Amino acid sequence: AQKITQTQPGMFVQEKEAVTLDCTYDTSDPSYGLFWYKQPSSGEMIFLIYQGSYDQQNATEGRYSLNFQKARKSANLVISASQLGDSAMYFCAMRDASGNTPLVFGKGTRLSVIA
Amino acid sequence: EPEVTQTPSHQVTQMGQEVILRCVPISNHLYFYWYRQILGQKVEFLVSFYNNEISEKSEIFDDQFSVERPDGSNFTLKIRSTKLEDSAMYFCASSVQADHIDTQYFGPGTRLTVL
């Protein structure tokens, strides 16, 4: 069974600074995908970034990058140049390659960006 | 940019009543999902749907829940007899494919309050 662990319930970061949100995962499947979603206070779930288990390069999407360390089973999200609008809950999720599997989510990290 | 839409945004109902939550997935997507998020908790999978039938369901998705794709665009979740513990945010999601590399895009959610 897959499992996602996010150990930081809350994080603070100064505006314009970079921040790393931790995510570790567990799966027995060699093929899997890792995802990060942002949930602002309005409640919607916004897809941010994806990393495949066989991708050689760390994924990047604008100010978001994923620090993927396969041997450590970690997929940390790095947000560079934080903005006030980045204040939100951030969820790490994964799904494995076993057919039409659902996403499994972590408990999330609440990021607060301070001016 | 195409997006998943959900109606209503907020539903208040009395315990024991039936509710239907509606979703319009992204038009070229073939796989549809319902997730729920109890306030302050992580997102949990309910059910996945493909080719007019349920692909997978979780333990949460018991006999009081049902899903339907009544026409070519809508995807609905029905809760037959709501309980207090059904109060949550319900998210619809869709994806083009079902494999682990395919991103699921979420709708804005329906907040269900059972009184």
Side-chain angles (χ1 to χ4, degrees):
Chain A
Q2 307 152 72
K3 186 178 179 183
I4 293 282
T5 302
Q6 295 180 256
T7 57
Q8 306 154 313
M11 291 279 288
F12 289 89
V13 64
Q14 204 75 35
E15 199 178 5
K16 300 180 186 176
E17 298 291 311
V19 64
T20 298
L21 307 184
D22 294 342
C23 172
T24 58
Y25 61 90
D26 192 24
T27 180
S28 56
D29 199 309
S31 296
Y32 49 87
L34 296 154
F35 303 81
W36 278 90
Y37 288 85
K38 173 184 178 181
Q39 186 178 42
S41 57
S42 50
E44 70 266 36
M45 294 287 285
I46 303 167
F47 165 71
L48 295 178
I49 195 168
Y50 160 81
Q51 178 84 44
S53 58
Y54 288 114
D55 291 345
Q56 297 295 315
Q57 303 287 332
N58 285 343
T60 59
E61 286 286 346
R63 294 187 298 111
Y64 303 109
S65 61
L66 205 152
N67 184 359
F68 180 47
Q69 298 187 48
K70 194 171 182 178
R72 294 187 176 185
K73 293 190 174 179
S74 74
N76 298 338
L77 177 70
V78 181
I79 305 174
S80 62
S82 297
Q83 302 171 356
L84 295 177
D86 294 335
S87 294
M89 282 290 287
Y90 288 82
F91 291 96
C92 181
M94 76 175 298
R95 63 191 303 200
D96 65 26
S98 307
N100 186 8
T101 55
L103 284 168
V104 174
F105 284 83
K107 291 185 177 181
T109 295
R110 181 171 298 283
L111 178 65
S112 299
V113 181
I114 304 166
Chain B
E1 186 174 324
E3 58 184 19
V4 178
T5 60
Q6 289 185 245
T7 54
S9 57
H10 193 185
Q11 173 98 42
V12 180
T13 189
Q14 295 290 327
M15 191 169 57
Q17 295 296 304
E18 174 183 288
V19 295
I20 298 176
L21 310 182
R22 291 182 169 81
C23 167
V24 179
I26 295 172
S27 62
N28 65 329
H29 286 189
L30 302 176
Y31 295 85
F32 315 117
Y33 312 84
W34 283 101
Y35 292 83
R36 79 171 185 190
Q37 183 185 31
I38 294 172
L39 186 63
Q41 298 187 25
K42 66 180 178 181
V43 179
E44 301 173 292
F45 168 72
L46 291 177
V47 66
S48 59
F49 192 85
Y50 168 71
N51 201 25
N52 281 321
E53 59 183 33
I54 291 173
S55 305
E56 190 169 344
K57 59 183 181 180
S58 71
E59 294 173 351
I60 304 168
F61 194 86
D62 60 24
D63 291 344
Q64 70 161 344
F65 291 93
S66 62
V67 289
E68 194 179 32
R69 187 154 163 85
D71 53 44
S73 59
N74 289 285
F75 179 50
T76 62
L77 174 69
K78 181 191 290 185
I79 310 175
R80 287 192 187 82
S81 178
T82 50
K83 304 171 190 170
L84 294 176
E85 55 265 36
D86 293 329
S87 293
M89 181 77 100
Y90 288 80
F91 290 104
C92 173
S94 70
S95 63
V96 176
Q97 298 177 51
D99 60 36
H100 61 294
I101 66 170
D102 202 43
T103 299
Q104 292 179 22
Y105 292 92
F106 283 69
T110 293
R111 183 168 299 284
L112 176 65
T113 303
V114 182
L115 303 176

